[in-house]
Each structure stands twice: as structure tokens, then as C-alpha cells.
Amino acid sequence: MPDSHLFCKTIDDLMRVVITQILSEGDRIQPTRGPAKELSGVLLEINNPRCRMSLTETRGRPLSCLGEFCWYLAGTNDLDFICYYIPNYREYSDGASGYGPRLFDWRGINQFQNVASILQRKPSSRQAVIQLFDCSDISGGKSDVPCTCTLQFMVRRERLNLIVYMRSNDAYLGLPHDIFCFTMLQEVMAARLSVELGTYRHMVGSLHLYEKNIHSARQFLEEGWQPTKKPMPVMPTGDPGPHMTEFLKAERSIRTEGFLDLKRLQSMDPYWADLARLLLIFRYGRDNRIGCMQGLRDSISSDFYVPYIDRMIERKM
């Protein structure tokens, strides 16, 4: 029997273990989107959620993950938004099951704010649950059904843990994006509550690898072990809301206008300014403005992002 509890320190370690186990021990299934191999009832655990970004050549492309996180924060289902970062997104979704509106304005309820208020009143609460899957999602023959069911935030020993339950998860394409976005939400919540970041647990009913992606998954494994021990910078403690508002304004300007006044970066918190710089470098890359990419690289506050930026520049040379 395959191991149903997979514990790793980083996203790359986890991806390698998951893909290896699916290939060697997964059951064959025939879902709507094509034949696949599957592990069922799996618990994935990362003890340092900041180790959320891959450094591999195959999966080390953080802008699609960061773009999806922005899409969540913006609270929109706009497909043009997410397709700017993930051009083939329409092949998998019509946007109706996007998580942003469900997180921040579902039937008039800001679920994220609600959970924060619960944990501020009673840190030991077991009711701090965000629901993304609804019974109506599987009625009426809908084709776009949320893969994520719930997010449960728990403060224990002055650390914020997050437990996510997914009914279905694509191990190669979806898993790294989901873990990035959900651990970022976990850190946003931890910063707001002024507690340390705890463990991330990712529970999946069907963890699968489509046959059409097996060759790419094997290429990922053949790249060898990557030194992914260095985590992302620590998000500043305190309510990130105002910082995220400025960050989203910058994101919108970059995405829709192709421009951002660099003076705005100087007035932003360095953590969020660096993320905005990544988005601007991505835009410069789309517009083949290599000199601007190199210039902005030199102004990045954290050297954590430099390898990713250098790789983006190399692809454009």
C-alpha cells in the first residue's frame, strides 16, 4: 500500500515524493479530462510553508503562482485576469469556480475576514473554517466544480496551522499553485493575528497525474535534487490589508497598462514592493524589454528572488 502521509520540508521535495509514488503505485482511473494515475486519501505536510517556491527548471516559474494569488486577492472571476499569467487557463475552467469571490464575498460574507475575527476573539477556536465547495456546485451538470472544499485555520502553541481539504488535485500542474496560494493566505492570516507561521497540511481525496503530463513529470524528476531549503522572506507582522491594497493597485496598473511609476515602489513596504517588482519584471519580459528587466533586478530588496529573475532574463536573451 502507498504511504498516505507524506511529510516534506519544501515544495520540491514534496513534488518529487508525490510524483514518484503516483508513477510507481498509483491506480489507473478514467476521469473526464483523460486517463490518469491516482493516489487516494493522501495527507501532504510541509513544516515550513515559506518553502513554497520551486527552484527547478520545469516547475520553478513563480509568476503563474503569484498571478493566481493576486487573482484570489482581487476577489474576481475575470478570466482575462488569470489568463494574463496562465494563458491556457480557459482549457480547465470557465472562472465560475474561482476562489476569490468565495473567499472574500460569498453571498455577502467575507469568509477570510470572518475567520480572522473568530481567531482574534478566541484563538483556540475550531470554527475558523472557510468553505469553498458548495452543494450547488454538483447540481445541474456543471462542468467547472471547485477542487478545494475547505480551509481550516487553527492557532496552536501560538502558531497558525492551516489544514486544506481538496476533493481532487492535479499533482503536476495544480499542486504547486495550490500550495503556494494557500500558504500565502496562511501567512497573511498569521501576520494579521501576530502569531508565528505553523504547519501546512494538504489533504486530498484524489491526488492524480494525467497521462498526458507523465513525460513532463518524468523530466521534472530527472532534473535531480534542488537546493530549496531557503524560504521566502517573512511577511511583516501586523494587518497586511493596507499593503495588499497598494500591491493590488500596482498589479492592476502593470497588467492592464503595462506601466508602473517606480516611485510607487519606494513608498510600499519592501516585502510587497519586491512582489510588485516581480510582476513588473514579468511584464517587461512579455514586452521584450530586457534592459528594463536587468535594471529592476538590481533594485530588488531580497536576494531570494534573484535566481528566478535571472532565469526570466535568460529565457529572453
Side-chain angles (χ1 to χ4, degrees), residues 8 17 28 35 46 51 57 78 92 94 107-108 129 132 141 155 158 163 166-167 172 184 200 229 238 243 268 287 311:
C8 294
V17 170
R28 294 189 178 278
I46 298 180
C51 292
E57 180 66 28
D78 179 13
Y92 307 99
D94 61 11
R107 299 168 185 163
V129 177
L132 297 180
V155 177
E158 298 183 0
I163 303 169
M166 301 192 69
R167 63 172 184 85
Y172 182 68
M184 284 292 287
Y200 177 78
K229 303 303 181 188
H243 300 304
M268 293 173 65
D287 297 342
R311 187 172 293 170

Side-chain angles (χ1 to χ4, degrees), residues 17-26 37 39 218:
V17 170
V18 165
I19 290 173
T20 299
Q21 189 157 317
I22 291 177
L23 290 174
S24 63
E25 303 181 64
K37 298 193 73 175
L39 299 176
R218 291 191 188 278

Side-chain angles (χ1 to χ4, degrees), residues 70-208:
C70 292
W71 193 46
Y72 288 5
L73 292 185
T76 179
N77 281 335
D78 179 13
L79 277 178
D80 288 338
F81 188 136
I82 189 59
C83 286
Y84 170 83
Y85 297 103
I86 309 175
N88 62 343
Y89 197 91
R90 283 186 174 87
E91 297 177 16
Y92 307 99
S93 172
D94 61 11
S97 63
Y99 297 155
R102 296 178 186 235
L103 284 163
F104 300 107
D105 187 16
W106 199 14
R107 299 168 185 163
I109 298 174
N110 185 327
Q111 294 198 83
F112 195 83
Q113 168 64 39
N114 195 34
V115 161
S117 298
I118 289 171
L119 292 176
Q120 285 169 336
R121 293 194 305 269
K122 187 177 180 181
S124 62
S125 176
R126 295 164 295 179
Q127 299 179 5
V129 177
I130 290 176
Q131 179 181 332
L132 297 180
F133 181 94
D134 185 73
C135 61
S136 64
D137 288 318
I138 53 174
S139 64
K142 296 179 181 178
S143 59
D144 195 10
V145 178
C147 291
T148 309
C149 297
T150 58
L151 288 73
Q152 183 173 9
F153 297 84
M154 301 182 74
V155 177
R156 297 294 182 269
R157 300 180 182 179
E158 298 183 0
R159 292 179 177 272
L160 180 70
N161 302 319
L162 176 57
I163 303 169
V164 171
Y165 179 73
M166 301 192 69
R167 63 172 184 85
S168 177
N169 208 183
D170 182 322
Y172 182 68
L173 295 177
L175 180 63
H177 280 78
D178 292 325
I179 288 180
F180 179 91
C181 291
F182 293 144
T183 57
M184 284 292 287
L185 289 174
Q186 180 184 5
E187 190 164 11
V188 168
M189 185 68 74
R192 181 165 183 169
L193 298 174
S194 297
V195 297
E196 294 294 322
L197 192 63
T199 298
Y200 177 78
R201 295 183 177 92
H202 191 89
M203 304 177 68
V204 189
S206 169
L207 183 61
H208 52 268

Side-chain angles (χ1 to χ4, degrees), residues 13-73:
D13 296 334
L14 187 65
M15 287 281 290
R16 292 182 62 80
V17 170
V18 165
I19 290 173
T20 299
Q21 189 157 317
I22 291 177
L23 290 174
S24 63
E25 303 181 64
D27 295 321
R28 294 189 178 278
I29 58 173
Q30 292 288 332
T32 304
R33 292 178 179 168
K37 298 193 73 175
E38 173 195 72
L39 299 176
S40 59
V42 181
L43 170 60
L44 310 177
E45 185 171 345
I46 298 180
N47 69 343
N48 187 349
R50 291 191 186 96
C51 292
R52 60 175 69 95
M53 285 174 61
S54 172
L55 269 175
T56 64
E57 180 66 28
T58 304
R59 294 280 80 198
R61 304 192 178 193
L63 268 298
S64 58
C65 293
L66 181 57
E68 188 162 5
F69 177 62
C70 292
W71 193 46
Y72 288 5
L73 292 185

